[in-house]
Amino acid sequence: MKHIKNKTTYWILLWLIIAGLGMLITGTYAAYTRAEYVKRVVASKNESSSYLFSSNYMYMKENSYTEFPLRIIPVSTQADLSLTVTVCNYLQSDLTRFSEDAISYTFTAALADINGNLLSSEKLSQYAGVISISGTQYNAETGTYTASGTLEGGTANTHFYEIRCSKDNVDKLNDICIRLEAVPENSPVKLVALLSMNSGTRSDTPWTGKFAEVTDDDQDTTDIDAFNYVISGTSETTVKINWNTARVMLSPWSRQEFSPDSQVVSEGEGYIEVKVGAVAQSYTLQFYRVNGIPSGEKGADVKGYVSLTETS
């Protein structure tokens, strides 16, 4: 009996040792996987902060991207052209999501053809003094304007670059484009665009509005967190923009698009009425979602959230 008792004790001790080792290994593995998970989350957060770099007219692309997405902007021959390009350290759809770190970058605007190719020196001579950016004329030899800037981190910041052209020279823009690029230091992304500002015969085209992200009535829009609503036209008039306050709200940043304040005729809950055409011929307004995303939402539903009508 003593032999059996000792043998039983031995197996109990062995089982306890194995169970203890199992708990130790499980605990160590769990702690390790939690630590690795936290590291991955932190790494993802740090990586995403470097992408908080945006613009109202330029598109974010990888540094290796060599094309310049075309953006057509109707302009009027009845007024001086004034178009402001922004470079920001936050998401265009959410002012509260800004970079914690400072972003130093180089901004370049260059005269180009419709394919994005820089103009030849012979062609450049035809456009000397036609366009200025932030009060500075283009370099007559290269057709470029270059500036360096730093967006301080820790709060939403915006830099402005104003493109100007007198109404007497607007017709000259029909055959050229402006190639825009903002390249931050030590970042895998950049901002690019090719602006085509063509007056043609559209000096009195009516104002219209549409969502940039919505291309089809049957489109599934439940994966879109916020919307860019582009309004454009060339006639000098007053427009009223209405939105469904149960679904979207106009971002405070977009409200600042209508500057000076004399442009604003009236505003209230769910609408803003503004004078357009004299200062700029295109605006991109950001609308944030409110009350969540409706189940089964389609493009046709989103198109009904915002409307634009000319009131005079």
Side-chain angles (χ1 to χ4, degrees), residues 211-256:
F211 286 100
E213 297 83 3
V214 180
T215 57
D216 187 78
D217 285 352
D218 294 327
Q219 177 184 344
D220 181 1
T221 54
T222 56
D223 60 342
I224 303 175
D225 294 326
F227 303 98
N228 289 294
Y229 189 73
V230 181
I231 68 171
S232 61
T234 56
S235 59
E236 292 191 37
T237 185
T238 301
V239 299
K240 187 175 184 180
I241 303 163
N242 293 276
W243 58 90
N244 183 343
T245 56
R247 291 299 177 209
V248 293
M249 65 172 287
L250 181 67
S251 76
W253 179 86
S254 290
R255 168 61 179 80
Q256 296 174 20

Side-chain angles (χ1 to χ4, degrees), residues 10-310:
Y10 167 78
W11 284 111
I12 291 173
L13 288 173
L14 181 60
W15 181 86
L16 289 172
I17 291 171
I18 292 173
L21 286 172
M23 292 176 65
L24 178 62
I25 291 170
T26 301
T28 303
Y29 177 74
Y32 171 77
T33 53
R34 282 197 299 270
E36 284 300 297
Y37 175 75
V38 171
K39 284 166 66 178
R40 285 197 296 271
V41 170
V42 171
S44 298
K45 183 176 180 182
N46 288 339
E47 288 168 4
S48 66
S49 67
S50 64
Y51 295 94
L52 295 174
F53 189 58
S54 65
S55 170
N56 60 340
Y57 283 108
M58 291 183 284
Y59 303 89
M60 180 182 288
K61 298 292 182 181
E62 294 182 356
N63 270 334
S64 58
Y65 192 80
T66 58
E67 302 296 324
F68 289 83
L70 182 65
R71 189 150 196 172
I72 299 175
I73 301 172
V75 297
S76 172
T77 58
Q78 307 303 310
D80 293 344
L81 169 68
S82 176
L83 184 145
T84 300
V85 177
T86 64
V87 177
C88 316
N89 70 340
Y90 53 83
L91 291 181
Q92 289 292 299
S93 60
D94 190 350
L95 270 171
T96 65
R97 296 182 62 183
F98 49 77
S99 175
E100 292 292 344
D101 302 319
I103 301 175
S104 296
Y105 68 93
T106 300
F107 173 80
T108 304
L111 299 184
D113 61 23
I114 193 66
N115 296 313
N117 301 312
L118 296 179
L119 297 185
S120 64
S121 56
E122 180 182 356
K123 193 82 170 176
L124 282 174
S125 63
Q126 302 175 32
Y127 300 99
V130 171
I131 298 175
S132 67
I133 288 194
S134 299
T136 301
Q137 296 292 330
Y138 279 83
N139 182 306
E141 295 182 359
T142 63
T144 60
Y145 166 90
T146 303
S148 297
T150 298
L151 295 161
E152 297 300 328
T155 187
N157 275 304
T158 304
H159 288 171
F160 301 92
Y161 298 92
E162 184 184 24
I163 299 173
R164 296 190 65 88
C165 177
S166 70
K167 62 182 180 181
D168 296 331
N169 287 323
V170 167
D171 275 340
K172 294 183 179 180
L173 302 180
N174 292 341
D175 300 322
I176 62 171
C177 296
I178 301 179
R179 198 174 82 176
L180 303 176
E181 187 172 36
V183 182
E185 297 178 357
N186 305 316
S187 174
V189 299
K190 61 183 178 181
L191 302 174
V192 292
L194 184 67
L195 301 187
S196 174
M197 295 177 287
N198 194 306
S199 62
T201 59
R202 298 173 293 177
S203 58
D204 290 315
T205 55
W207 283 76
T208 59
K210 65 178 182 178
F211 286 100
E213 297 83 3
V214 180
T215 57
D216 187 78
D217 285 352
D218 294 327
Q219 177 184 344
D220 181 1
T221 54
T222 56
D223 60 342
I224 303 175
D225 294 326
F227 303 98
N228 289 294
Y229 189 73
V230 181
I231 68 171
S232 61
T234 56
S235 59
E236 292 191 37
T237 185
T238 301
V239 299
K240 187 175 184 180
I241 303 163
N242 293 276
W243 58 90
N244 183 343
T245 56
R247 291 299 177 209
V248 293
M249 65 172 287
L250 181 67
S251 76
W253 179 86
S254 290
R255 168 61 179 80
Q256 296 174 20
E257 278 276 273
F258 301 112
S259 179
D261 285 341
S262 59
Q263 276 190 260
V264 179
V265 178
S266 64
E267 60 184 314
E269 184 176 2
Y271 80 92
I272 186 169
E273 191 173 11
V274 293
K275 296 177 181 179
V276 291
V279 177
Q281 287 75 46
S282 178
Y283 298 90
T284 300
L285 310 177
Q286 281 76 46
F287 283 91
Y288 303 153
R289 286 188 183 274
V290 297
N291 300 323
I293 301 175
S295 176
E297 180 190 72
K298 299 295 183 181
D301 301 315
V302 174
K303 290 179 180 179
Y305 295 165
V306 182
S307 63
L308 179 148
T309 55
E310 291 192 5

